[in-house]
């Protein structure tokens, strides 16, 4: 009886979405999700403002609205669209403002963010911006991706680069990552309505291992 949270990777695919070339794939996906008969949170083009995704704002918004239009036409009622920012400390793609990618209140159900090293690198500034955005637009917020990157919990080590490691105590890991994480959730319960924690060996994944991108 669990809900489903699904991310759609759309890098180099927005033109197909907007031209109608992806209609069959869109309709197939919507049919599958509707058949599950349970809540689905669809992170459409997740981390839309990340430099690594290179989503042009106008093309992204158009693809979002096109997808939403087909979802309404198919009468799919169990899917909520989640607008997830990367909340990256080094800024957004092209330096555009956050709302440059926003397709509109009428087609967005949730807003979302990623949390990895933001407390350490930028004192939660991009996360605070997303919290303010959620309140301004009266949207529930999902912490859609969260993991204590740089810390190896089992080994009690820390690495800023993924190449060299230093030993740390468990209470330091708690104080540096987990305590700010749970504090922010507790202090913003009015708007944070869902949290996804990634419980995995981060460095073992090829795209996330050394050298660290974040």
């Amino acid at each position: 009886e669990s809900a489903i949270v699904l991310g759609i990777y759309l890098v180099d695919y927005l033109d197909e979405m907007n031209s109608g070339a992806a209609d069959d794939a869109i309709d197939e996906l919507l049919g599958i999700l509707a058949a599950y008969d349970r809540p689905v949170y669809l992170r459409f083009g997740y981390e839309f403002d990340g430099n690594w995704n290179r989503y042009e704002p106008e093309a992204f918004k158009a693809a979002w609205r096109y997808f939403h239009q087909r979802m309404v036409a198919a009468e799919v009622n169990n899917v909520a669209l989640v607008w997830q920012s990367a909340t990256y400390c080094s800024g957004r793609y092209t330096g555009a403002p956050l709302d440059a990618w926003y397709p509109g209140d009428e087609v967005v159900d949730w807003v979302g963010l990623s949390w990895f090293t933001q407390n350490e690198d930028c004192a939660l500034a991009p996360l605070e911006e997303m919290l303010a955005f959620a309140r301004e637009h009266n949207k529930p917020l999902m912490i859609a991706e969260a993991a204590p990157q740089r810390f190896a919990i089992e080994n009690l080590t820390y690495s800023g680069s993924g190449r060299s490691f230093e030993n740390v105590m468990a209470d330091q890991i708690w104080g540096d990552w987990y305590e700010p994480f749970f504090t922010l959730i507790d202090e913003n319960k009015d708007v944070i309505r869902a949290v996804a924690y990634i419980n995995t060996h981060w460095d073992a994944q090829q795209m996330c291992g050394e050298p660290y991108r974040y």
Side-chain angles (χ1 to χ4, degrees):
E1 302 196 359
S2 60
I4 297 170
V5 180
L6 177 67
I8 299 183
Y9 181 79
L10 295 174
V11 172
D12 298 325
Y13 200 62
L14 295 181
D15 288 344
E16 284 83 350
M17 297 282 289
N18 289 322
S19 69
D23 284 359
D24 289 345
I26 293 172
D27 294 343
E28 181 181 5
L29 173 63
L30 290 172
I32 292 170
L33 298 181
Y36 283 127
D37 193 27
R38 66 184 62 198
V40 177
Y41 300 90
L42 191 61
R43 300 184 294 122
F44 185 94
Y46 56 91
E47 296 186 333
F48 55 81
D49 51 350
N51 291 307
W52 49 93
N53 288 326
R54 309 180 308 280
Y55 292 138
E56 294 296 336
E58 294 306 316
F60 176 82
K61 289 185 292 186
W64 183 294
R65 294 176 185 132
Y66 189 88
F67 185 92
H68 182 271
Q69 182 180 22
R70 296 197 74 83
M71 187 170 74
V72 171
E75 298 183 347
V76 177
N77 300 314
N78 63 318
V79 176
L81 294 181
V82 182
W83 185 73
Q84 180 192 345
S85 169
T87 49
Y88 188 42
C89 287
S90 294
R92 290 181 282 268
Y93 177 57
T94 73
L98 179 63
D99 62 2
W101 287 270
Y102 193 60
D105 287 344
E106 69 280 4
V107 293
V108 172
D109 300 300
W110 287 60
V111 299
L113 58 82
S114 301
W115 183 335
F116 296 101
T117 63
Q118 288 90 336
N119 181 54
E120 182 178 9
D121 291 355
C122 51
L124 304 180
L127 282 72
E128 295 287 354
E129 183 181 17
M130 280 300 301
L131 287 164
F133 189 96
R135 291 189 176 98
E136 179 184 351
H137 292 265
N138 194 30
K139 300 292 182 182
L141 185 141
M142 173 186 293
I143 299 179
E145 300 181 42
Q149 191 182 7
R150 299 179 180 168
F151 291 104
I153 308 303
E154 182 177 2
N155 299 331
L156 293 180
T157 60
Y158 171 87
S159 174
S161 65
R163 295 189 177 94
S164 60
F165 298 83
E166 60 183 89
N167 295 326
V168 294
M169 301 296 291
D171 58 354
Q172 179 182 339
I173 299 175
W174 177 264
D176 287 353
W177 199 91
Y178 287 94
E179 186 172 3
F181 179 68
F182 289 118
T183 296
L184 184 129
I185 294 169
D186 184 62
E187 292 179 347
N188 294 277
K189 288 184 290 189
D190 64 304
V191 67
I192 297 176
R193 310 307 300 166
V195 176
Y197 175 82
I198 303 172
N199 184 26
T200 188
H201 181 9
W202 192 266
D203 292 341
Q205 302 182 58
Q206 183 177 0
M207 69 176 292
C208 303
E210 63 172 270
Y212 289 161
R213 182 180 66 196
Y214 292 102

